[in-house]
Structures are given as C-alpha cells and as structure tokens.
Amino acid sequence: MTTDNTTHFAPELHIPNGTFNVDFYIKFGATEHFRFLNDDGSIHVVELEINGAIFHLHETMRDALEPISAKGVTAVIGLFVPNLDEVMQKAVQAGAIEISPAQDYDYGYRQGMFKDPFGHHWQIQKKI
C-alpha cells in the first residue's frame, strides 16, 4: 500500500447510483480496503488497491459523469505493471472487454487496453 509520505494518484472512478456489485475489480486482482454503503445497501464508495496503486469507486454525484450515462469514455486509467500480459488476461477473464491487445510500440512501451464492466478504459502498460 502506498504510504502517506509519497506523492501518488488515486483515481476516483464513478459508477452508476444504485450499484450493488463491483466484484469485477476483486476478480481482476484488486484488494478492497473499505466500503461505505448507502441505506439501501448500494455502494457509496469503495477503496481498492492493485499492487500499491490505490483507486476509488464512487457513486455518481454532483457534476461527475460515469461512462455508461455519459455514453463515452470519461478518462483512461493508465496502470504500469511488471506482468502486462498476465494482467490483460486476468481482466478479460474477470469480465472486461479487450479494446486493443498487448503489443510493443516504437516509443518503448508495451501496452494493451480494456473496458471494464462500468465502461472505464484501462491502459495496461510497461516500459520495455
């Protein structure tokens, strides 16, 4: 887990109000730190971590958009990992849709992209 004395990003991915299940992320390999629920049992916020990279799933509020209602990508989550092909495979097995397969690029990166069940695009990458 990232310590408080380091600078790091912690993206907040918005999910539709009334969401009860975010099991995709656990199947993908995330560890859940905490979860706050609304009175109806739906998710208000969940903190997750993938090998030290913390992110949050949060119900849509204020002027925030989530990809399904926005009918498009609201951000691309870039995740650097040492085992890119394994991570891509695990994501697809957990229910993601592959957008572009992992491949090497002339600019020195190996990258692949998938869309998670809530419409968020993840670019999995590694410097080569």
Side-chain angles (χ1 to χ4, degrees), residues 4-21:
D4 289 338
N5 63 352
T6 62
T7 301
H8 57 277
F9 284 98
E12 183 173 283
L13 307 180
H14 288 260
I15 55 176
N17 292 345
T19 296
F20 292 89
N21 183 335

Side-chain angles (χ1 to χ4, degrees), residues 1-2 26 31-35 46-50 53-54:
M1 182 170 152
T2 304
I26 303 303
T31 301
E32 184 175 319
H33 290 181
F34 63 78
R35 178 183 296 219
V46 177
E47 182 177 272
L48 299 161
E49 174 187 341
I50 299 173
I54 295 173

Side-chain angles (χ1 to χ4, degrees), residues 77-121:
I77 307 305
L79 183 64
F80 283 87
V81 298
N83 52 345
L84 184 139
D85 294 286
E86 180 182 317
V87 170
M88 287 291 294
Q89 181 181 17
K90 192 170 188 177
V92 171
Q93 288 173 344
I97 297 170
E98 184 178 77
I99 295 172
S100 60
Q103 59 185 347
D104 294 346
Y105 290 92
D106 291 341
Y107 47 83
Y109 281 37
R110 181 166 179 76
Q111 297 172 312
M113 185 177 286
F114 67 82
K115 179 170 70 171
D116 75 24
F118 293 99
H120 299 286
H121 287 204

Side-chain angles (χ1 to χ4, degrees), residues 55-71:
F55 65 103
H56 298 91
L57 303 177
H58 200 294
E59 69 181 335
T60 303
M61 51 188 245
R62 295 185 295 276
D63 293 335
L65 298 174
E66 46 82 19
I68 295 171
S69 65
K71 297 184 172 116

